[in-house]
Amino acid sequence: ILNVEQSPQSLHVQEGDSTNFTCSFPSSNFYALHWYRWETAKSPEALFVMTLNGDEKKKGRISATLNTKEGYSYLYIKGSQPEDSATYLCAFSNFNKFYFGSGTKLNVKP
Amino acid sequence: ETGVTQTPRHLVMGMTNKKSLKCEQHLGHNAMYWYKQSAKKPLELMFVYSLEERVENNSVPSRFSPECPNSSHLFLHLHTLQPEDSALYLCASSQGTGTAIYNEQFFGPGTRLTVL
């Protein structure tokens, strides 16, 4: 089993704060790194899939970066809103395995 | 119906029962997946079907038996389960073939399974 570590486990911020989370993964045999948002009582929703070292992706106020050589990805949320409250999951894919991290649970207070 | 649907949404079964979970995707995708989420554990990939052929089986006990009759439907047949199999079972689909998962996955709402 490969280790995909996410930190922090949980985060409480005020509306308007910017925040970021980390996903660490094995740097060998890298194929893709996925980020998903999972709101309570809903299905996980894809945010980004990144495959190239140095990739940066953006969707609205959310962006992500990827460093495959050192095995980490950052997810940034600018100006957090209460609707951003969710668990953010990363998942690592090598040539024949796919592993999710335990997630970072974000709570944005109005 | 749009997206990925799963039935039933909730299931309670005894250890001697046989039941099936159903997943249907309306997205035209060619890969489908079963995941398990147990309490306080990460999502675990159980099975991957690509072009209706099983390409991944992550050492899942034989009491879980998947079936993919066509690219839109995926079943998980359950028999003689244990209480520790109680979990949320999620289905997902994506475009793509092979074992490496490059494309974003679209998830269903899940089936909450309780084994008594």
Side-chain angles (χ1 to χ4, degrees):
Chain A
I1 295 179
L2 300 174
N3 267 343
V4 180
E5 303 281 348
Q6 289 191 249
S7 61
Q9 282 190 325
S10 65
L11 199 52
H12 297 261
V13 302
Q14 288 294 134
E15 182 175 355
D17 288 351
S18 292
T19 186
N20 64 83
F21 328 131
T22 303
C23 173
S24 301
F25 52 86
S27 54
S28 59
N29 298 318
F30 175 87
Y31 271 53
L33 192 284
H34 298 229
W35 281 101
Y36 290 84
R37 174 171 58 202
W38 196 356
E39 294 179 64
T40 303
K42 293 189 176 180
S43 310
E45 173 197 355
L47 290 172
F48 306 112
V49 180
M50 296 186 286
T51 56
L52 297 175
N53 184 45
D55 249 356
E56 291 188 28
K57 298 225 171 177
K58 187 174 181 182
K59 185 183 284 189
R61 293 178 292 98
I62 304 176
S63 60
T65 61
L66 178 67
N67 183 324
T68 61
K69 294 187 187 308
E70 296 181 39
Y72 65 84
S73 175
Y74 294 137
L75 187 80
Y76 301 92
I77 302 179
K78 185 177 178 182
S80 302
Q81 300 297 307
E83 58 265 31
D84 295 328
S85 297
T87 296
Y88 291 82
L89 301 171
C90 70
F92 163 79
S93 174
N94 68 9
F95 71 96
N96 68 349
K97 295 295 179 187
F98 190 66
Y99 293 100
F100 273 90
S102 298
T104 292
K105 187 169 184 178
L106 175 67
N107 182 32
V108 183
K109 299 177 188 176
Chain B
E1 291 273 19
T2 58
V4 181
T5 58
Q6 289 186 243
T7 54
R9 296 292 307 276
H10 300 270
L11 179 62
V12 179
M13 59 187 288
M15 289 191 284
T16 57
N17 291 158
K18 289 184 181 180
K19 296 286 184 183
S20 296
L21 310 184
K22 179 183 175 182
C23 175
E24 186 172 358
Q25 59 97 358
H26 310 266
L27 300 167
H29 290 161
N30 55 18
M32 296 186 78
Y33 313 83
W34 278 117
Y35 286 91
K36 174 184 179 183
Q37 184 167 50
S38 306
K40 299 186 180 180
K41 284 188 176 181
L43 271 173
E44 297 173 67
L45 181 60
M46 299 173 73
F47 300 105
V48 180
Y49 275 83
S50 177
L51 297 173
E52 302 154 42
E53 286 195 24
R54 191 190 308 179
V55 296
E56 186 65 33
N57 173 355
N58 282 329
S59 304
V60 178
S62 59
R63 57 186 183 268
F64 296 91
S65 174
E67 179 191 2
C68 187
N70 55 60
S71 60
S72 299
H73 294 87
L74 185 65
F75 294 89
L76 188 64
H77 304 299
L78 316 171
H79 63 98
T80 59
L81 294 193
Q82 305 297 310
E84 59 264 29
D85 297 321
S86 298
L88 178 69
Y89 289 85
L90 287 165
C91 172
S93 71
S94 73
Q95 269 304 106
T97 58
T99 57
I101 300 177
Y102 287 102
N103 297 309
E104 62 182 358
Q105 295 175 65
F106 292 77
F107 284 83
T111 295
R112 176 70 63 184
L113 174 66
T114 303
V115 182
L116 302 176

